[in-house]
Amino acid sequence: MESGDATDPAEPGQGAARPRDGAAARNAAGGGAAGHGGSAKTPRPRGKAAPASGGPAAASRARGAGAGPGGTDSGAGLSGTTASGVGSSTGTGTSGIGGPVGGPRPLGEGGDTAVDGKGVGIPGGEVTAARREGDRLRFVGAATRRIARGIDLDEIVLGLCRATVPTFSDAILVYLRDPLPVGDERPVGPVVLRLRRTDRLRPIDDLTTIEGAGAAGAAGELDFSQLPLLGPQGDLPAAELCEIRSGGALAEVLRGVRPVFGSAAGAKEALAELLGSEHPVPRGNRAVLAPLRGRRRVIGAAVFLRSPERPAFEQNDLLVAAQLATHTALGIDKAVLYGREAYIADELQRTMLPDSLPQPTGVRLASRYLPAAETARVGGDWYDAIPLPGSRVALVVGDVMGHSMTSAAIMGQLRTTAQTLAQLDLPPAEVLHHLDEQAQRLGSDRMATCLYAVYDPVSHRITIANAGHPPPVLLHLGGRAEVLRVPPGAPIGVGGVDFEAVELDAPAGATLLLYTDGLVESRLRDVWTGIEMLRERLATTAQLTGLDHPPPLEALCDDVLDMLGPGDRDDDIALLAARFDGIAPSDVAYWFLDPEETAPGRARRFARRALARWGLEELSDSLELLVSEVVTNAVRYAERPVTLRLLRTDVLRCEVGDDSPQLPRQRRARDTDEGGRGLFLVNRLARRWGATRLSSGKVVWFELALPGPVAGPGPGSTERR
């Protein structure tokens, strides 16, 4: 082949690039996406001889064609870089090698020289080798930076593929263990590798079809990397799953950790085991099998492939493959650990939130919880709804400062504490005071905001205490939305502060919205601007649904969350909406009974009259029997008047209160006992029953199903609070 022949392409990196390598360079310059355009090949200047590419003889012919003694026009000197040379991009945004790493063969031992700054001649082969080594270093640096930019597993694997194709190889296959081990987990059962991702150059010329590839194979040039990675039926020309056999060739190569050529001892059998026996295995040094080893074990393998049109891999390319494999494996390890931690923290937080909201009498509830963005999605926001004696309900929303698993754990402890304090029926301000003390016991820097409200459907009043939390918004039935004026208070955990409660009207048909600051505050707006936007959003929604009836509760929550923009997810969001229905005064009957022997008889008469007024006479026998038993037990231990209250809602509820803190317990009476069967009768006849300790005594309650279809638990079920 004559060097002066203008149609004869020179070796890559020493002049005009070969067609395949020119495509690789253009792909690298186009951002790393294989097969996507780039600049055209730089034409050879007229009057210049083609660079030598065939050892000493070719070098001599090049000198005979007009190369000077200094060798500066030989194409192999310092000025022999083409448009696809060192300045090309590797797809990572930094300079790398434009042609294939290891593609150029060193010049022969002829007289090719370059001149350094002192006029001393440097052999051209040494200059080319030095340039290629510099290209390798720049490529490795750019590729590892691209791999390190990935956060999750897919981004890291994609970074490896885009950084190596087409700059380092024509195709790549990445296999990872399925499932991926996390931390110190030891695999149970056989080790299985799954094909996670492939990437390749776009087929060119007659290799764009399977028939063309077959023709190339007939000429002895067929290579695995020439075939499209998707076959005519969409199948992969490599096995999707590979089970590693103990003691097999693949297991031995992976145990060795270091990358190996496909032609190395045992590597050919390992590739056949990995890719599948029915798929072709590349010949020669055109395949590199690189194990992916994390911190503790091998987690996969990467296969780099080159076509016959491109120079085979060299020994130094194994070092490049080792660097790429190491950075990829460590990145995957970190991504898996991060994903597991984020999953645990997210699950921890979600399990500490209520699975479902209760259905207390006189109020309807809806809630939403949204985690923060991926970068800070773990938080300490929570909400709760706790049924209280007297058909009341406690509404709680809070936010622990910080975004970590610690915040989620502190949130769970504070929520549990709030539930316990609510069961004692303490006033809202007292609940916040005890929460503040609990937060101080948990640590000096455990701070949170909290809003605690108690709604009474009988009196249509709500009592609210605040500890540094954003104020609630009340949407009235007529469409007017107002921000309730509640004392701001100091956050929980500050210590040494008093909390103040305020009692407000809660008219029927109104909707109370409790939320955390993630809904109204972001980097784009302050908290009060967000609260005003929320108020306007609620008023607009109410006007769209009509002023004579409130908007649906679930749809209202969704509409409120729609006000969030793309940059408003810096914090997690907890949202609790309560629709006040209340209980009409005509559905409530209330009496005081002196603790004397005649109290049970009076209680039966009062209950009979109430049932007659409500048209529920068929419940008289059951109600009188149960009222008599519960009132008799209360009179036995009470020192102050006993209270009796009947409420008619979707069920008939009876509540008997006294000043004794001792809760009744059901026990099995012996055949010879004269008493001890009262609660046994209540348990058998009532739909539900329970006993709750109050700050001033206790309340024993039970429910009877109204005549007609019965929904919910049947007789004998209990619910203790």
Side-chain angles (χ1 to χ4, degrees), residues 549-570:
H549 60 277
L553 205 56
E554 297 289 343
L556 180 65
C557 292
D558 294 334
D559 190 68
V560 166
L561 295 180
D562 288 341
M563 66 179 282
L564 296 172
D568 296 344
R569 295 293 301 280
D570 302 328

Side-chain angles (χ1 to χ4, degrees), residues 93 289 387 602-603 624 645:
L289 176 58
R602 295 176 58 196
E624 289 183 37
R645 184 166 74 166

Side-chain angles (χ1 to χ4, degrees), residues 430-673:
E430 286 293 319
V431 172
L432 294 184
H433 175 73
H434 289 292
L435 282 176
D436 180 57
E437 292 181 339
Q438 174 67 9
Q440 294 179 65
R441 284 191 290 267
L442 294 176
S444 58
D445 57 344
R446 308 308 189 197
M447 300 181 63
T449 63
C450 182
L451 191 142
Y452 187 91
V454 175
Y455 170 66
D456 189 344
V458 176
S459 63
H460 296 271
R461 303 282 289 179
I462 185 169
T463 305
I464 304 175
N466 189 16
H469 203 78
V473 180
L474 185 65
L475 177 62
H476 293 269
L477 184 59
R480 180 174 62 91
E482 65 169 328
V483 180
L484 297 182
R485 296 182 178 180
V486 297
I492 291 173
V494 173
V497 296
D498 293 329
F499 298 98
E500 184 181 352
V502 60
E503 187 173 352
L504 304 170
D505 288 330
T511 303
L512 183 69
L513 203 68
L514 308 180
Y515 53 90
T516 56
D517 58 354
L519 179 65
V520 295
E521 185 180 20
S522 70
R523 291 172 292 178
L524 306 178
R525 61 171 182 260
D526 61 77
V527 61
W528 287 107
T529 301
I531 291 175
E532 181 61 23
M533 291 178 58
L534 174 61
R535 189 194 65 81
E536 294 176 354
R537 186 64 174 249
L538 291 174
T540 302
T541 303
Q543 292 176 0
L544 293 176
T545 57
L547 302 180
D548 55 341
H549 60 277
L553 205 56
E554 297 289 343
L556 180 65
C557 292
D558 294 334
D559 190 68
V560 166
L561 295 180
D562 288 341
M563 66 179 282
L564 296 172
D568 296 344
R569 295 293 301 280
D570 302 328
D571 197 0
D572 49 345
I573 299 172
L575 178 65
L576 179 63
R579 174 72 43 77
F580 300 142
D581 295 330
I583 300 176
S586 59
D587 292 330
V588 180
Y590 196 88
W591 303 275
F592 286 94
L593 303 172
D594 293 328
E596 53 189 23
E597 295 180 356
T598 59
R602 295 176 58 196
R604 289 193 295 269
R605 291 195 300 271
F606 292 150
R608 190 184 312 117
R609 294 173 186 173
L611 292 180
R613 186 170 69 250
W614 292 333
L616 301 175
E617 290 86 352
E618 57 185 291
L619 296 179
S620 293
D621 293 340
S622 299
L623 181 61
E624 289 183 37
L625 175 59
L626 298 184
V627 165
S628 179
E629 292 293 338
V630 176
V631 171
T632 300
N633 189 72
V635 169
R636 179 178 302 174
Y637 301 101
E639 297 180 358
R640 298 178 182 178
V642 175
T643 60
L644 172 63
R645 184 166 74 166
L646 296 179
L647 298 98
R648 183 187 62 169
T649 56
D650 54 342
V651 296
L652 181 64
R653 182 182 178 98
C654 176
E655 299 174 354
V656 177
D658 61 76
D659 59 349
S660 174
Q662 183 178 357
L663 297 180
R665 290 288 182 262
Q666 181 182 353
R667 63 184 180 88
R668 182 176 297 276
R670 294 174 296 183
D671 295 340
T672 57
D673 291 343

Side-chain angles (χ1 to χ4, degrees), residues 151-244:
I151 297 178
D152 60 17
L153 179 63
D154 292 330
E155 289 180 353
I156 294 172
V157 175
L158 177 62
L160 171 66
C161 294
R162 293 298 171 85
T164 55
V165 177
T167 309
F168 181 69
S169 62
D170 293 331
I172 184 175
L173 299 95
V174 181
Y175 284 84
L176 296 179
R177 290 179 61 166
D178 186 26
L180 277 169
V182 180
D184 295 327
E185 289 183 358
R186 294 188 176 275
V188 178
V191 178
V192 177
L193 298 182
R194 178 181 293 273
L195 183 61
R196 184 78 183 197
R197 185 176 178 86
T198 62
D199 207 350
R200 61 178 173 84
L201 278 170
R202 177 183 296 174
I204 58 176
D205 302 333
D206 60 342
L207 293 180
T208 55
T209 62
I210 298 298
E211 291 77 6
E221 300 247 346
L222 177 61
D223 190 82
F224 178 80
S225 60
Q226 292 176 303
L227 294 175
L229 292 187
L230 287 177
Q233 306 300 328
D235 56 325
L236 290 168
E240 185 176 358
L241 290 176
C242 171
E243 181 176 332
I244 301 179

